[in-house]
Amino acid sequence: MTPDSRNLYGFYLLLGVVYLGGLCVPLMNNDSAHHATIALHMHLTGDYASLVTQGEPYLDKPHLLFWLAAGAYKLLGVTTFAFKLPSLLFSVLGVYATYGLGRVLYSREVGRVAALVLASSLAFILANNDVRMDAVLTAAIAFSIWQLAEFAHYRRWTSLVLAAVGLALGFATKGMIGVAMPAIAIFVHLLYRRDWRGLFDPRWLVLALLTLAFAAPVLWSYYQQFGIDGVKFILWSQNFERLSGGRFGTAGGSDPLFFFHTFLWAFLPWCLLGAAAVWARGRELVAARLRPVPGQEMLTLGTIAVMFGIISSSGFKLPHYLNILLPLFSVLLASWLVPRMRAPAPRGAKLAQWLVWGLMGALALALNAWAFPLDRVVVAAGAVALTVAGLVLARRAQGMARLVLASVAVAAVFNFLQNFNVYPQLLRYQAGNNLAQALQARGIDTRAVRHLDARANSFDVYTGQLTRPVTLDELKAAREPVLVYAGEGGRKAIEEAGLRVEVLAENPEFRVTRLNIRFLDPGRREQTLSRHYVLRVTGGGQQ
């Protein structure tokens, strides 16, 4: 049977615990804390039109995430919670929009399952821990596609206006990709349905004008800071520079299968079932020779195929590019699952999910027993409680429905351990936030700290200030002791300059978003670490 509402609400509660835990995970260098400092500059200066990072103009991503974070700082203070809360709220919107898209394309049951699949997907949860643009962008795109599909089906002006709002939000988050992907989706949808009247509806021009009007604050801000070149960049150049690898390097650019193997972990625990759904829907479309068939749609698979081709051919690839496709994968998978819910789970589906559960269990064991052993009884008790609750809720269902709900339970427990054990221990090896905490615990005024040779955005966030640089010459001439944030090279340079150094705080430093096996191995971890310090430096000008 299809999972009833009470069961679904129970699993949303389990996932809610996971997401709330993510709100407390400290910001990670480089992107999360980096974006947080751009918002911090807005908050401290009151200049919300300019994008500034470390004193330099930031010509890359638009303003929305920074505006949201700066507004949250104003209301809640400069905290982890304040920076992450807007992304979590947008994720709720994204889950609901996925439900809405599943409902308009198929049925309420498909929408409910699709929303639960998305909410329990690993990359979607990670986007609320290591917060970048992805949660906001994914939600804006899912909302836009939902409203465009609503307009295509019912021709309501309300849907058209809401679609324009979603498109403008997507554009304001990451540029033209927030407009292009929904446009591709609705074009594929109308073309497959042979809906020529809808395809050439003159109201699409109204949609374009409304989107432009809603996006005007971002365009105005770019013009204010960068002139007409800034407007041209965000409307045109940005996307082609990423596709070509220009200005952004060539990360992942030589691997044409990069996003295929990224999908295998990003869509856990649904990747194998998702691949089966893609294959099945593809065979159905080919068998029908792409002719419209009642009860079928091509919006999801067609958009996935087009976007996969675009991002796979780009010269610059990063795993989080795949996030914007997760709502479509979720709807496609749910449409494949729901007709099978009442039947016993096929043996192939059982084997696939047992394999996924086994791999996730082995990974959880490696992370929580070897790399970062559980060191708090309350976390272990919480994991046990979630496991028991998940099993009880899943047992109320039968057949394929039980397999689906058990997969959600596995995802909840796995990510609970990540958020409450792995990430808190991992972030002990990020110096910036820990040094800020150490100084505050000692009552040291962090506003006096300057940086030399090393700068941690996380230090700026957790001190609530933008740390200014200092040079060796300035330290030599200083008449009062100076507090300096420095790495190993900076400390060595200070000492070699003959200045007296007192270590006020020190912490291991590792780029925690780039894990490797040597770091994860407790026996070899020390070999991968450098150290950051806060020093009290007495210069030659001090008598």
Side-chain angles (χ1 to χ4, degrees):
M1 59 182 292
T2 302
D4 62 32
S5 298
R6 287 174 298 175
N7 256 16
L8 293 183
Y9 291 147
F11 281 100
Y12 277 120
L13 284 175
L14 297 186
L15 291 171
V17 173
V18 173
Y19 279 93
L20 290 176
L23 285 175
C24 302
V25 175
L27 303 186
M28 302 180 191
N29 290 327
N30 288 318
D31 283 353
S32 286
H34 171 251
H35 294 347
T37 59
I38 295 174
L40 182 60
H41 179 272
M42 291 180 174
H43 173 66
L44 294 176
T45 64
D47 180 2
Y48 292 90
S50 300
L51 299 170
V52 178
T53 176
Q54 299 183 5
E56 298 294 329
Y58 178 72
L59 183 62
D60 187 1
K61 301 177 182 72
H63 298 66
L64 183 59
L65 179 69
F66 312 121
W67 284 340
L68 293 170
Y73 291 162
K74 187 73 71 177
L75 293 173
L76 303 170
V78 182
T79 62
T80 302
F81 179 84
F83 180 72
K84 291 188 173 186
L85 181 61
S87 289
L88 179 60
L89 295 178
F90 265 83
S91 292
V92 173
L93 173 65
V95 170
Y96 187 76
T98 301
Y99 159 74
L101 181 61
R103 183 193 64 200
V104 74
L105 293 179
Y106 293 100
S107 66
R108 290 183 183 274
E109 289 73 22
V110 168
R112 288 174 184 147
V113 174
L116 193 62
V117 167
L118 178 66
S120 57
S121 299
L122 180 58
F124 194 77
I125 295 173
L126 181 59
N128 285 275
N129 297 340
D130 186 15
V131 171
R132 311 180 190 195
M133 308 289 167
D134 308 300
V136 177
L137 180 64
T138 301
I141 287 177
F143 181 77
S144 301
I145 295 175
W146 169 34
Q147 291 303 315
L148 289 171
E150 288 272 0
F151 178 74
H153 279 248
Y154 305 113
R155 301 293 198 269
R156 290 194 293 250
W157 278 101
T158 303
S159 297
L160 194 75
V161 173
L162 290 175
V165 171
L167 291 170
L169 289 172
F171 173 79
T173 304
K174 210 166 184 178
M176 287 303 293
I177 185 63
V179 177
M181 181 176 159
I184 291 169
I186 197 62
F187 176 77
V188 168
H189 184 56
L190 294 172
L191 188 64
Y192 171 73
R193 294 174 65 196
R194 312 297 196 265
D195 185 354
W196 311 120
R197 181 184 173 190
L199 195 60
F200 296 104
D201 192 323
R203 285 176 288 182
W204 295 126
L205 178 60
V206 178
L207 175 70
L209 294 174
L210 284 172
T211 302
L212 185 63
F214 291 139
V218 170
L219 296 173
W220 178 85
S221 297
Y222 267 100
Y223 181 77
Q224 285 290 108
Q225 185 177 7
F226 302 106
I228 194 65
D229 288 339
V231 177
K232 289 179 180 177
F233 169 80
I234 197 59
L235 287 175
W236 187 257
S237 307
Q238 180 207 41
N239 303 286
F240 290 97
E241 287 183 357
R242 286 188 179 274
L243 287 174
S244 66
R247 206 166 71 84
F248 296 98
T250 57
S254 61
D255 183 1
L257 300 179
F258 179 83
F259 289 107
F260 289 91
H261 51 73
T262 296
F263 172 79
L264 293 177
W265 67 260
F267 203 45
L268 284 171
W270 309 106
C271 54
L272 297 183
L273 291 182
V278 168
W279 177 257
R281 181 54 45 84
R283 288 186 62 184
E284 291 169 358
L285 289 169
V286 171
R289 298 182 181 179
L290 299 182
R291 291 191 299 268
V293 175
Q296 288 190 2
E297 51 79 27
M298 197 175 174
L299 185 152
T300 53
L301 182 59
T303 308
I304 288 169
V306 172
M307 291 303 301
F308 240 91
I310 292 172
I311 61 178
S312 294
S313 63
S314 69
F316 187 75
K317 302 181 179 72
L318 290 172
H320 60 262
Y321 287 10
L322 197 63
N323 282 46
I324 56 177
L325 293 176
L326 295 183
L328 299 183
F329 275 115
S330 299
V331 172
L332 180 58
L333 174 57
S335 71
W336 183 79
L337 287 171
V338 166
R340 296 167 171 79
M341 287 292 200
R342 290 183 171 85
R347 184 177 181 184
K350 286 183 179 179
L351 290 175
Q353 290 310 93
W354 290 344
L355 175 61
V356 168
W357 300 346
L359 290 174
M360 292 180 73
L363 181 58
L365 187 64
L367 290 172
N368 293 278
W370 174 62
F372 303 105
L374 268 169
D375 57 2
R376 289 180 293 170
V377 174
V378 66
V379 175
V384 171
L386 253 69
T387 302
V388 172
L391 289 173
V392 170
L393 289 170
R395 283 183 63 84
R396 294 178 181 174
Q398 300 294 328
M400 192 68 153
R402 178 180 291 181
L403 191 72
V404 169
L405 294 180
S407 297
V408 178
V410 170
V413 175
F414 179 87
N415 287 286
F416 176 87
L417 289 170
Q418 294 293 104
N419 287 359
F420 285 89
N421 180 61
V422 174
Y423 292 131
Q425 292 201 52
L426 174 64
L427 268 295
R428 295 172 187 173
Y429 297 93
Q430 180 173 275
N433 51 295
N434 289 294
L435 290 175
Q437 184 178 9
L439 295 186
Q440 290 161 352
R442 294 180 56 181
I444 296 173
D445 185 3
T446 56
R447 292 173 297 178
V449 179
R450 303 292 180 262
H451 70 86
L452 177 72
D453 102 298
R455 179 172 185 171
N457 289 308
S458 57
F459 182 80
D460 289 6
V461 174
Y462 291 102
T463 57
Q465 63 167 15
L466 298 170
T467 309
R468 291 183 291 168
V470 69
T471 66
L472 275 175
D473 289 339
E474 289 172 331
L475 290 175
K476 292 175 183 177
R479 295 183 176 276
E480 299 291 337
V482 181
L483 303 185
V484 179
Y485 186 107
E488 292 173 343
R491 177 180 179 179
K492 182 178 180 181
I494 293 170
E495 292 173 338
E496 289 178 347
L499 305 177
R500 191 163 72 249
V501 172
E502 177 188 356
V503 177
L504 298 181
E506 64 178 291
N507 202 85
E509 167 65 12
F510 184 82
R511 189 164 179 177
V512 296
T513 56
R514 295 188 176 180
L515 300 179
N516 58 54
I517 192 64
R518 290 181 65 224
F519 172 79
L520 291 174
D521 182 356
R524 295 188 289 168
R525 184 173 299 156
E526 191 64 33
Q527 304 167 17
T528 69
L529 303 177
S530 60
R531 302 197 79 78
H532 282 189
Y533 308 88
V534 175
L535 311 170
R536 180 181 282 118
V537 179
T538 304
Q542 301 166 41
Q543 302 298 325

